[in-house]
Amino acid sequence: MLSTTKEEERVVLQGVINQTISCILQYANSTRNEKAEIYRRNNLPAIISSLIYPFIARGVVVKLYVTEIGDLVSKKNCAKAKRIFESKSTKVQFILETIQLDQQPEKKDEFKALTTKKGLPQVFIGSYISNEFHHYSHIADISELEVLNDSGDLDLKLVGFA
């Protein structure tokens, strides 16, 4: 077993952080096609998640407001949003809170406090600080969610970097 000092650990961690920051800056200043390549080559979400997640008390939280009643389009879009986030759980660490507004009417006031938009699904990405939800990103509809997912930017939001 190798014995390492705190200084050696700090140097290694600093190297990983510098490499990650370099990847993020390269990603941020790239075209859409370049972003996809950087994303695949560096597995950015996994790197960032492994560095950041241990330092976040309860981690990144996704509040997904959905319904199973109403018009067919809303139901299909809500199901699609659920599938997108369920597929992400194998790549990035986050907590998914699915709120069924048709089955949890007491959550409607909470929903109204977060947005004036009425369509579903609605997505809020944030974290809990002192048992209070603080959102820092709002995804207003399924088309925006799909664009973020296809570009890889959703993964960055899920690790708190977008």
Side-chain angles (χ1 to χ4, degrees), residues 1 6-7 9 27-28 34 49 55 62 71-73 76-77 79 99 105 114 118-119 123 131 139 144 152 162:
M1 178 181 209
K6 291 286 184 191
E7 180 61 21
E9 290 175 3
Y27 184 89
E34 291 170 333
S49 182
F55 301 103
V62 175
D71 65 280
L72 186 60
V73 173
K76 282 184 176 180
N77 289 344
I99 296 105
L114 290 170
K118 302 227 186 278
V123 178
N131 291 328
I139 303 169
E144 184 181 349

Side-chain angles (χ1 to χ4, degrees):
M1 178 181 209
L2 286 176
S3 175
T4 59
T5 65
K6 291 286 184 191
E7 180 61 21
E8 290 170 326
E9 290 175 3
R10 189 193 65 73
V11 169
V12 169
L13 184 58
Q14 187 63 51
V16 171
I17 290 169
N18 288 343
Q19 180 183 4
T20 303
I21 291 170
S22 173
C23 287
I24 292 168
L25 292 174
Q26 185 181 8
Y27 184 89
N29 296 317
S30 302
T31 66
R32 183 181 205 123
N33 290 338
E34 291 170 333
K35 281 183 179 184
E37 179 57 31
I38 293 166
Y39 178 82
R40 278 191 296 277
R41 186 176 63 232
N42 295 296
N43 195 8
L44 227 66
I47 293 170
I48 295 167
S49 182
S50 66
L51 285 172
I52 301 303
Y53 192 76
F55 301 103
I56 301 173
R58 285 192 52 197
V60 173
V61 177
V62 175
K63 284 192 172 229
L64 175 60
Y65 290 88
V66 296
T67 185
E68 290 183 352
I69 61 173
D71 65 280
L72 186 60
V73 173
S74 288
K75 288 192 287 189
K76 282 184 176 180
N77 289 344
C78 289
K80 191 182 294 184
K82 278 187 193 175
R83 282 193 305 274
I84 288 172
F85 284 109
E86 286 166 357
S87 73
K88 296 288 172 203
S89 64
T90 59
K91 289 174 76 177
V92 188
Q93 293 179 320
F94 65 94
I95 299 165
L96 178 62
E97 289 184 13
T98 304
I99 296 105
Q100 296 276 153
L101 287 177
D102 50 315
Q103 295 174 8
Q104 298 170 285
E106 70 279 5
K107 296 287 188 175
K108 286 185 180 175
D109 289 337
E110 175 186 294
F111 175 70
K112 289 176 185 174
L114 290 170
T115 185
T116 58
K117 301 199 183 283
K118 302 227 186 278
L120 294 173
Q122 294 285 319
V123 178
F124 297 90
I125 301 172
S127 60
Y128 282 100
I129 301 170
S130 301
N131 291 328
E132 206 173 294
F133 182 70
H134 295 270
H135 76 280
Y136 51 77
S137 186
H138 175 221
I139 303 169
D141 60 34
I142 192 67
S143 60
E144 184 181 349
L145 180 61
E146 288 175 320
V147 167
L148 289 169
N149 187 41
D150 293 344
S151 70
D153 289 341
L154 181 59
D155 293 306
L156 292 175
K157 284 183 180 297
L158 291 175
V159 294
F161 267 91

